């Protein structure tokens, strides 16, 4: 509708969401875990660490991209994560993999939902976004040119090549999930 077009033209992404220490720490944790820790120390904990970091920073990233309420950012994160970590997403993954040379994969493991424990920290950060953010002359450029693309990379480029590498070692956990 005309109102939506007007809104999109005048919506400004807010760099504060990408420049908050909680976001920066979560992003660094996600990148380090997916591109280093899983390769060298792959176990149940490194499998969960990415989920924790992703659930922590996704609401802030959604608020950066879209002008939605804090609650909608949290609810959207829950719905996206539930979908991604369920067998329902397999058809979407297959379609995406058929369209690109990059192969997307994930392990369906319902114990990953423990990462929802990060949502109170995400929500608190959203509520107090103007506290403790990185300040400086080039903060907007820093957010748009460096942090934004790095975040996109972190969300789509994981190190998972063989799903069996990241399945829980405890057979009772693997059999339930």
């Amino acid at each position: 509708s005309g109102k939506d077009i007007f809104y999109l033209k005048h919506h400004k992404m807010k760099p504060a969401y990408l420049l908050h220490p909680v976001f920066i720490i979560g992003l660094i944790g996600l990148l380090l875990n997916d591109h280093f820790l899983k390769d060298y120390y792959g176990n149940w904990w490194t499998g969960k660490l990415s989920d924790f970091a992703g659930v922590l920073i996704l609401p802030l990233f959604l608020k950066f991209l879209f002008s939605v309420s804090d609650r909608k950012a949290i609810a959207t994160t829950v719905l996206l994560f539930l979908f991604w970590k369920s067998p329902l997403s397999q058809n979407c993954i297959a379609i995406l993999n058929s369209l690109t040379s990059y192969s997307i994969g994930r392990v369906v493991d319902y114990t990953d939902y423990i990462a929802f424990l990060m949502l109170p920290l995400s929500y608190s950060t959203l509520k107090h976004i103007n506290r403790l953010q990185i300040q400086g002359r080039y903060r907007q450029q820093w957010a748009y040119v460096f942090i934004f693309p790095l975040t996109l990379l972190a969300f789509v480029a994981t190190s998972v090549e063989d799903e069996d590498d990241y399945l829980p070692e405890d057979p009772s956990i693997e059999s339930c999930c």
Side-chain angles (χ1 to χ4, degrees):
S1 73
K3 181 180 175 186
D4 293 334
I5 292 170
F6 176 81
Y7 172 77
L8 289 173
K9 284 183 182 178
H10 297 284
H11 170 66
K12 293 181 181 174
M13 293 183 265
K14 297 180 183 177
Y17 294 105
L18 301 188
L19 297 173
H20 196 281
V22 168
F23 186 88
I24 300 293
I25 291 167
L27 179 61
I28 290 169
L30 182 61
L31 288 166
L32 278 175
N33 190 57
D34 281 349
H35 299 286
F36 175 73
L37 296 176
K38 281 184 180 178
D39 290 339
Y40 295 100
Y41 307 103
N43 59 34
W44 188 84
W45 294 107
T46 57
K48 299 297 176 242
L49 185 58
S50 293
D51 298 328
F52 276 83
V55 167
L56 175 65
I57 68 173
L58 184 57
L60 290 115
F61 189 66
L62 291 172
K63 287 283 292 192
F64 169 76
L65 291 175
F66 309 106
S67 185
V68 296
S69 70
D70 296 344
R71 289 181 183 202
K72 284 185 181 176
I74 295 291
T76 302
T77 296
V78 169
L79 292 174
L80 287 172
F81 194 75
L82 286 170
F83 175 74
W84 179 252
K85 291 295 186 169
S86 78
L88 298 173
S89 64
Q90 190 55 47
N91 287 339
C92 292
I93 292 169
I95 290 168
L96 288 171
N97 285 342
S98 72
L99 297 174
T100 66
S101 60
Y102 180 76
S103 182
I104 298 170
R106 60 92 182 82
V107 174
V108 174
D109 178 357
Y110 298 115
T111 64
D112 290 345
Y113 295 150
I114 194 171
F116 288 143
L117 291 171
M118 297 307 291
L119 290 174
L121 178 56
S122 293
Y123 188 72
S124 177
T125 303
L126 290 171
K127 284 291 181 204
H128 306 288
I129 196 63
N130 292 321
R131 294 183 190 168
L132 300 173
Q133 60 181 289
I134 295 172
Q135 300 294 327
R137 186 174 180 185
Y138 299 105
R139 61 188 292 266
Q140 278 194 293
Q141 292 86 347
W142 182 254
Y144 294 118
V145 175
F146 184 69
I147 307 249
F148 175 70
L150 195 59
T151 304
L152 289 176
L153 175 72
F155 280 136
V156 299
T158 64
S159 63
V160 176
E161 294 171 6
D162 182 7
E163 291 183 0
D164 292 337
D165 289 345
Y166 303 105
L167 288 175
E169 292 181 19
D170 182 352
S172 63
I173 293 173
E174 187 174 329
S175 66
C176 82
C177 305

